[in-house]
Each structure stands twice: as structure tokens, then as C-alpha cells.
Amino acid sequence: MDLFLSALDILMRWDVALALLVGSVGGVLIGAIPGVGPAVAIAILLPATFSMDPIVGLTVLLGIYGSSMYGGSIPAILINTPGTAVNALTTYDGYPMTARGEPRRALSLAYSSSFFGGIFSVICLILFAPVLARIAPMFGSREIFLAALLGIILVVVAHRGQALMAGALAAFGIFLQTIGMEPVKYSQRYTFDQPFLQGGINLIVVVLGLFALSQAFVLLTAEDERIRTTRLSGGSLFQGMRELLRHPRVASVSAGFGVIMGMIPGVGEFTAQFMSYTYAQRTSKRPEDFGRGASEGLIAAETANNAVPAAAMVPLLALGIPGEALTAMMLSVFYVHNVVPGPGLFQNDMDFVVALYLALLILNVLVLAFLLVATKSLIQVVRIPNRFLGVCILTLSFVGVYSLRNSATDCMLAAVFGVLGYILKRLSLPAVPIILGMVLGGIMEVKLRAGMARVKTPLDMIDRPVSFILFLIIILVLATQIRRVWLDRRDLKEAEWQSNHRSTSFGRLLLRRKSSFLMERGKLQRARRLTWYRRLMDLF
């Protein structure tokens, strides 16, 4: 009880309350604008948070992170354009509801599902906080090194179909982190006698370049579309909670998927959404309605993605290991204020941790209240021209970069990374591994050097229970990835063989049966690939 009151006392400050309000409302507005997203907004605001208290700066960033998905559902439902990338699945059942004249019902259901997912996640984490406090002291230098290594591996494996490129980009991020003065002997690494590289490449410069500037370039080069808005008619914005209560199993399982996937570095909203949506469809009495305006599909998508943000704070706070770019940006706020996330944070500053979770709890209430009042006005946000947004983001980004160290060189470096980010977007390649490579690479280097003082043989790295378990998980993940690649290549060869024998009806029949078998076993990606080959064969 004393811990709760101490955390509540932190949140009662006027600046923290203002940060909660600004973060929640600002996040909804950012999420409702297609093409911007929370990563761009957080990257722009990051330099400004360095002058704030840690709790104030983190509350603003958490507000944007947690509430942007609420706002992203508005254009996804009304105009079939997701406001943020993670709202793409919302369009499957949200827009068909709008098309048949039920936009109020769809929005209300999305708000209620998001609210349930967010509250469920925060309550779970508050209940698990004492467990985390007991587990955290078991992590020493070797354990944190292995956890960071596991984080990078999971990030690479999560980019299925692009794992090799994701690994190369993560390695590039690790290389960027090594540039500058070496932290132990203070020797220069990869500076090539250039003074501006001696201080290293600032993480915030890279973040602003890869996310904010690259998105500005995309918006400036894209054609403006004439976006129509839909009148809100039919139903009440308050009816969604009643409808949500009619599907408690789908809502609770989807929130559970969001919590579990959020705790695993490199997995995040997309995997949680896919698993939740698949579960809801398989257990539904009317699976044929999914993709045509099924309320269960909308509940699964929105509940899962809003349960992730609070859960994603667990590896960040408990181990100091971010699982994605947004939490990596928040980690820099900790470092600027000499607050070190990890085992010591749960031992020495537990009230600070509980205050963050209570802030997330209050955040969800504020966002829901704001959306129920301001939805009609928010619809107009989707009409902002792309090029106007691009110019605003470009200006704010360069102002933010220059304010870091009053350096024009940082602005030039940010522009270089902005062009790199633009190229990656055009090639549909992920930029997140670069950021996580920079953050986790630095953690791995420091912890490996600290841990090697007590390591005499390679087996000494895994001679403790936690390190041994992490090592086994790493081996299991790598083995699973190798098996998955082997199975995909085998199926591809089978499909190619069948395409060479496409004139025979037996070949088509065999491929159909293979595809149906894989669909029954849940191997959706492989089944879709084989179905595509079968359709291609049928054309000939």
C-alpha cells in the first residue's frame, strides 16, 4: 500500500498530469493522420524530453505510444486507410461495417476493445511487478548479455522472408555503435581521423533520420489523394462496451496474446494481432463473416495491439533491453537522466516503475473519454495534405537534431540516414534492426566485458541457471528458424516441380491436397504460397 501511495504521489504533480494529457491527446491526433505514426512523433519530441524530469518525459512518450493506436483505428474504419501500420488488420472488418452504414458501431467497438486491451495489460503488469522484482536480481552481466543477444536474434527472426537482410541491418547498427571512442581504453575506432566521428554517432540523430526524415521524404514525393470523410450515423458511440461483453473469450484471449507477445523482444503487435485474429476466426460460429464486418475480428485486432505497449515496457524496465524502436527511444531518456533500467531499478526505484504503470492506466481512461467526445472533429484530421505534413516533419526534425548539440554536422548525418531510410522504405526493407543493433550492441559490449572477468572457459558463460535457460532459448530459436527455412525451401521446390508437370491433373490435385493439409495445420504462409502456385498453374 505504501508503494502504491508513493507512486500516486509522483503522478499528482501538475507537470506529470499535463504530460499525461498532452501525450494522450497528441497520440490520438498523430495516430489519426495516415502516414505519420508514433515513431515519427516520438523521434521529433525526443530532444525536447531530455530537459524534463524522467517521469515527465517518459509519460509524454508513453502517452503517444499507447494512444496512437486508438487514433489509428479512425481512418482505418472510415476510409480504409490505417492511421498507423499496426491498424492494418482493423481495416479487414472495420471498413466493411462502415460500408454497410455502421461507422458508429465500428468505432465504438474499436475504442472499447482498445480500452479493454490496454487496461488488461496494465493490470497484469502491476500484478506481476513483485515477481519481476524478485527475478531481476538473478540477472548479472552474463545474463543481460545473453538476453540482449536473444533480443537481436528475435528481431531478425521476426522479419520472416527478410531475415538475412534484417540480420545485415542489425549488424550495421552494431557497427555504427562502435564508431568513436572505445569505452575502456579510450582508443579511437573507425573515426578515420575525422573529428566529428570521435564522439560517435548519436542514436537520436539516427532515429530522426531513419524514421522522421525518411517519412517526410515519402510524404513530399507522394501524390495527395482526395480523401472523403464519412458521416457518423447509425448507433451510439457508447454501445461498443456492451457488444464487447458479449465476446469475453475473444477479448481476454486476444489481450493475453498482446501481453505475452509484448514481453518478447522483436515480436510486437503484428504477431499478437495475427495470432488473435486467427484464434477468433477458428473458434467463431460464423468464420465466413471475417473480413466482411465481423465484430469478433475487430475485437481481436484492436484488443491485441493495445495490450502490447504496456507489456513492451517489461524487458525495457527489468533488463534495460528494448524490444523495438519506440522503446529504444525511451531508453535514451533514461540514460540522459542517469536512470539505469535493469535489475537495480526494481530494487531501488520500485515506486517509479509503479508510477509508470499507473500513468498507462490513467492514459487509457483519458483517451477513451477524449475519443467519445471528439470523434466528429477528429475525422477532419485525415484531410491534411501529405506535402504539408512532409514540410512540417522535415522542419521539426532538423530543429530537433540541431538542438541536441548545436551541430550542423548532426543535421548532415541525419539527412544521410534520412535518405537511407527512404531507400529502405522504397525497397520495403525494415529500418528497426538498425536502431536495435545500435542499442543492444552497446549493451552487449559493456556486459560482455564485465562478464569476461569471471569467465575462464566458454562453459562458464552458462554455468548459472538463468544464463543456461537463455542459452537454451537461443539454441531453440535458431533451430526453429533453420527448420522453418528448410521447410519453406522444400515446399518451394515441390511447387516448382508441380509447375513443371502442370499439364497433368494429378499434379494440380496433389498441390490442392497439400495446400488444404497445410491450412488445416495452421501453416498459413506456406499454404498461401502453394495456393498461389496452384492458381498460376491453372492459368496455363
Side-chain angles (χ1 to χ4, degrees):
M1 191 63 182
D2 292 339
L3 185 63
F4 176 80
L5 292 175
S6 178
L8 198 60
D9 185 57
I10 295 175
L11 294 178
M12 293 300 289
R13 292 166 38 188
W14 70 268
D15 50 353
V16 178
L18 181 62
L20 268 173
L21 183 62
V22 171
S24 58
V25 174
V28 172
L29 294 173
I30 292 298
I33 303 174
V36 180
V40 177
I42 290 177
I44 293 173
L45 287 175
L46 203 55
T49 60
F50 292 162
S51 59
M52 305 176 184
D53 287 343
I55 186 65
V56 178
L58 285 169
T59 300
V60 173
L61 300 184
L62 276 175
I64 293 172
Y65 181 26
S67 62
S68 60
M69 297 171 197
Y70 282 88
S73 64
I74 296 174
I77 289 171
L78 296 181
I79 61 174
N80 202 26
T81 302
T84 67
V86 298
N87 292 109
L89 200 59
T90 306
T91 61
Y92 286 16
D93 294 286
Y95 184 70
M97 286 186 182
T98 299
R100 66 178 183 231
E102 299 176 328
R104 279 184 180 269
R105 178 191 171 207
L107 287 172
S108 176
L109 197 56
Y111 298 162
S112 302
S113 302
S114 299
F115 178 75
F116 176 80
I119 296 296
F120 181 91
S121 177
V122 176
I123 291 175
C124 286
L125 296 175
I126 291 175
L127 295 176
F128 292 157
V131 179
L132 293 172
R134 288 196 295 268
I135 294 176
M138 300 180 184
F139 281 80
S141 297
R142 285 170 279 179
E143 286 79 10
I144 294 178
F145 165 76
L146 290 172
L149 178 60
L150 175 62
I152 286 185
I153 292 173
L154 288 172
V155 168
V156 172
V157 170
H159 292 85
R160 187 169 182 180
Q162 296 179 319
L164 184 61
M165 184 56 68
L169 291 172
F172 177 64
I174 294 174
F175 167 74
L176 290 177
Q177 182 272 330
T178 63
I179 295 174
M181 300 295 290
E182 185 263 335
V184 176
K185 298 181 179 179
Y186 296 100
S187 59
Q188 295 186 23
R189 299 187 298 191
Y190 307 113
T191 58
F192 305 105
D193 295 327
Q194 299 296 321
F196 70 93
L197 290 177
Q198 291 180 1
I201 296 180
N202 193 294
L203 174 66
I204 310 305
V205 173
V206 179
V207 166
L208 282 165
L210 287 177
F211 290 94
L213 290 178
S214 65
Q215 188 61 37
F217 296 153
V218 170
L219 293 172
L220 288 171
T221 55
E223 293 291 334
D224 279 327
E225 298 180 0
R226 296 184 63 83
I227 299 175
R228 63 181 179 85
T229 56
T230 305
R231 291 188 62 186
L232 291 180
S233 60
S236 168
L237 285 173
F238 294 91
Q239 72 180 24
M241 193 59 71
R242 293 194 298 270
E243 190 168 359
L244 179 70
L245 294 175
R246 292 201 291 268
H247 303 283
R249 175 181 48 81
V250 174
S252 56
V253 171
S254 300
F257 276 130
V259 171
I260 295 171
M261 294 300 107
M263 291 183 182
I264 303 174
V267 179
E269 294 91 349
F270 291 104
T271 305
Q273 279 185 317
F274 178 78
M275 296 176 70
S276 302
Y277 195 86
T278 303
Y279 169 82
Q281 187 174 21
R282 286 182 179 176
T283 58
S284 175
K285 295 180 180 178
R286 302 187 62 181
E288 67 278 2
D289 290 345
F290 279 69
R292 301 176 182 176
S295 57
E296 292 170 274
L298 187 57
I299 289 171
E302 285 295 304
T303 304
N305 65 22
N306 275 270
V308 170
M313 296 298 291
V314 171
L316 177 69
L317 296 174
L319 303 175
I321 296 174
E324 56 182 353
L326 298 178
T327 47
M329 298 180 203
M330 296 180 195
L331 183 62
S332 63
V333 179
F334 281 100
Y335 286 158
V336 165
H337 294 284
N338 293 321
V339 178
V340 182
L345 189 64
F346 277 83
Q347 290 178 302
N348 305 322
D349 296 305
M350 193 62 191
D351 55 344
F352 180 82
V353 175
V354 175
L356 285 179
Y357 288 143
L358 289 178
L360 280 170
L361 197 68
I362 298 170
L363 166 73
N364 282 278
V365 177
L366 288 175
V367 171
L368 183 64
F370 174 71
L371 284 172
L372 292 176
V373 173
T375 295
K376 282 188 177 181
S377 301
L378 285 173
I379 295 174
Q380 304 303 320
V381 171
V382 302
R383 301 176 64 89
I384 298 176
N386 286 343
R387 290 174 182 172
F388 176 76
L389 283 175
V391 171
C392 291
I393 292 173
L394 199 68
T395 304
L396 292 172
S397 298
F398 278 121
V399 169
V401 171
Y402 188 77
S403 66
L404 289 173
R405 296 185 290 195
N406 296 330
S407 171
T409 303
D410 285 345
C411 293
M412 289 187 285
L413 283 173
V416 170
F417 284 105
V419 173
L420 174 61
Y422 177 74
I423 294 171
L424 292 176
K425 288 179 184 290
R426 293 298 298 269
L427 295 176
S428 299
L429 295 175
V432 173
I434 298 178
I435 302 300
L436 294 180
M438 289 188 69
V439 175
L440 296 179
I443 294 172
M444 289 170 61
E445 180 181 7
V446 172
K447 297 302 178 182
L448 180 62
R449 285 186 163 179
M452 288 300 290
R454 299 181 180 180
V455 173
K456 304 301 180 184
T457 66
L459 292 178
D460 290 341
M461 283 292 293
I462 55 173
D463 63 351
R464 294 193 290 194
V466 175
S467 60
F468 183 71
I469 292 172
L470 289 171
F471 176 74
L472 288 181
I473 295 174
I474 290 172
I475 297 299
L476 180 62
V477 170
L478 291 175
T480 303
Q481 175 66 8
I482 293 171
R483 181 178 179 273
R484 180 189 295 171
V485 171
W486 180 79
L487 289 174
D488 287 344
R489 290 188 177 182
R490 187 192 65 181
D491 292 336
L492 188 60
K493 287 181 180 180
E494 288 182 7
E496 289 175 351
W497 183 86
Q498 293 295 340
S499 65
N500 293 332
H501 298 78
R502 57 180 174 267
S503 60
T504 65
S505 59
F506 173 75
R508 284 194 291 270
L509 178 62
L510 182 64
L511 202 55
R512 285 193 187 97
R513 289 184 177 177
K514 178 74 172 178
S515 178
S516 300
F517 173 74
L518 291 173
M519 286 289 285
E520 292 172 1
R521 295 289 299 274
K523 308 295 186 182
L524 297 179
Q525 294 293 333
R526 294 164 57 198
R528 287 170 182 164
R529 187 180 295 114
L530 291 178
T531 302
W532 184 85
Y533 273 100
R534 176 173 58 79
R535 290 175 179 173
L536 184 65
M537 289 164 52
D538 289 339
L539 293 176
F540 296 91

